[in-house]
Amino acid sequence: MNISQLETLLTISKTLSFRKAGELLNLTQPAVSAQIKSLEDEFSAVLVDRNHPVALTDRGKVFLEHAEQILAIVEQLKQKLSDLNHIPQGHIVLGTTTSIAIQILPRVLSYFQNQFPLIKTSILSMSSAQVLSHVENGTVDVGIGYLSDRSPQVETSVLYYDTFEFVVSPKHHLASVPRATIGMLKDIPLILLSPDTLGRRFVDRIFRDNAIQPNIVMELGSSEEVKRMVELDLGAAIISKLSITSELRHGTLKMIPVDELATSHPVGVMTKSGRYVNSAMRQFLNDLKGMPEDQFISSE
């Protein structure tokens, strides 16, 4: 058995095709077939059902689990050996929310990649709850999101604090009100984030605690979508203050303080406990945690 054979089996499990696997691995289809046949002969087990569509057998699925672990160990070994050169390099997979990806990461990554061009980054956008679970299972190296949920398998570090604010279009009838109460929002058409987001869970709890049944006219998956709908005066919203700095500066949204919403929510870094931190991640985390809070929440 060799690493190439394991990579071939992993690629087949993703593409469900010997031909496509060969194209991705720069191998001929007969070479792909030969590698899988060699594995099957060595372990006396049929790993791949060659009928159409191609699929892993039950034994193949069990084999794949261990193959993935072996490949992860090999990749970790490569990183450790690379780190001996003392040059931060490698690949980092970041998981974060849409608003954070838009507001924070352009500044952070621009600085970081100018300093360390050998470090490559991939960004996956998801809810904060999903960020936590992806860090837990190892599919995300570094997560950045709200730290409302905790896990013994994940280490966290606070970067800054955010709030959720009530916003309207300048044309809205409440735009001139200096302050509002949660009761004033009872019958106002609201555009809110989807129920699986931390912001929405917080808003639902505030309404529930104040015995208010909100008038929700729209639920959207990202802060950007919510902001555009509010700018069109299709409803008001309760949204992350971090995500509206540009709109407030340009006057396309108006923020109205609501006492009941005045709760700070920590936003921070998540990494898996006990995981080997390669030079790329170590440098990224050190720089990220060393940045002043106003670098994240400035209106620039």
Side-chain angles (χ1 to χ4, degrees):
M1 182 182 69
N2 58 51
I3 298 301
S4 178
Q5 292 171 332
L6 300 184
E7 291 174 339
T8 298
L9 181 67
L10 178 62
T11 306
I12 288 175
S13 74
K14 294 177 178 179
T15 63
L16 303 181
S17 166
F18 279 69
R19 178 182 60 79
K20 291 179 181 177
E23 291 174 354
L24 291 174
L25 297 169
N26 292 317
L27 297 173
T28 63
Q29 188 169 331
V32 171
S33 298
Q35 288 196 347
I36 298 302
K37 183 65 167 60
S38 178
L39 274 181
E40 291 178 327
D41 289 346
E42 182 175 351
F43 289 90
S44 301
V46 177
L47 304 177
V48 179
D49 182 351
R50 291 158 174 78
N51 293 321
H52 294 287
V54 170
L56 296 187
T57 64
D58 289 341
R59 288 177 173 79
K61 292 175 183 176
V62 171
F63 193 98
L64 180 66
E65 292 178 12
H66 293 275
E68 290 174 329
Q69 293 174 23
I70 293 170
L71 291 172
I73 292 171
V74 170
E75 180 60 29
Q76 193 175 98
L77 173 60
K78 290 179 180 178
Q79 289 288 348
K80 287 184 177 181
L81 294 175
S82 173
D83 286 352
L84 294 176
N85 295 325
H86 303 293
I87 301 174
Q89 57 186 292
H91 180 227
I92 301 173
V93 179
L94 292 172
T96 188
T97 66
T98 302
S99 61
I100 291 174
I102 292 173
Q103 297 293 325
I104 295 176
L105 291 186
R107 291 197 296 272
V108 173
L109 295 181
S110 176
Y111 157 76
F112 191 73
Q113 294 201 331
N114 284 337
Q115 299 295 315
F116 307 102
L118 293 179
I119 297 176
K120 306 304 178 185
T121 54
S122 300
I123 302 172
L124 303 179
S125 180
M126 59 193 76
S127 70
S128 286
Q130 290 174 317
V131 173
L132 179 68
S133 65
H134 279 68
V135 171
E136 279 183 320
N137 64 32
T139 54
V140 161
D141 298 317
V142 180
I144 305 177
Y146 292 100
L147 303 180
S148 59
D149 300 321
R150 297 301 175 98
S151 165
Q153 301 177 48
V154 175
E155 296 178 1
T156 62
S157 177
V158 177
L159 296 175
Y160 62 92
Y161 290 86
D162 194 11
T163 57
F164 293 98
E165 306 288 348
F166 178 63
V167 295
V168 297
S169 159
K171 302 174 185 176
H172 196 277
H173 71 275
L174 287 180
S176 59
V177 174
R179 205 163 195 88
T181 65
I182 198 70
M184 295 171 65
L185 278 53
K186 180 179 180 182
D187 298 317
I188 293 175
L190 292 174
I191 301 168
L192 299 180
L193 288 168
S194 55
D196 63 334
T197 60
L198 178 133
R200 175 60 183 280
R201 298 202 307 267
F202 169 69
V203 170
D204 287 345
R205 179 171 61 79
I206 295 298
F207 281 127
R208 188 168 58 249
D209 290 348
N210 288 273
I212 292 174
Q213 182 65 43
N215 177 21
I216 302 172
V217 296
M218 206 177 300
E219 294 179 329
L220 298 170
S222 75
S223 299
E224 294 303 303
E225 294 172 307
V226 171
K227 291 187 294 184
R228 300 294 85 83
M229 295 300 104
V230 176
E231 286 176 331
L232 293 172
D233 201 24
L234 298 179
I238 299 173
I239 195 170
S240 157
K241 185 177 183 179
L242 174 72
S243 70
I244 57 174
T245 52
S246 176
E247 289 77 12
L248 294 177
R249 188 172 69 250
H250 291 100
T252 60
L253 289 178
K254 179 73 184 296
M255 185 175 76
I256 302 170
V258 177
D259 288 340
E260 290 86 349
L261 298 177
T263 301
S264 293
H265 301 270
V267 178
V269 180
M270 308 174 210
T271 53
K272 187 170 184 178
S273 303
R275 179 172 182 171
Y276 171 69
V277 179
N278 62 39
S279 62
M281 282 179 61
R282 187 163 54 249
Q283 188 66 58
F284 182 81
L285 290 171
N286 287 343
D287 282 27
L288 191 63
K289 294 175 182 178
M291 294 178 73
E293 183 171 338
D294 58 10
Q295 179 68 30
F296 298 106
I297 62 177
S298 69
S299 60
E300 297 179 0

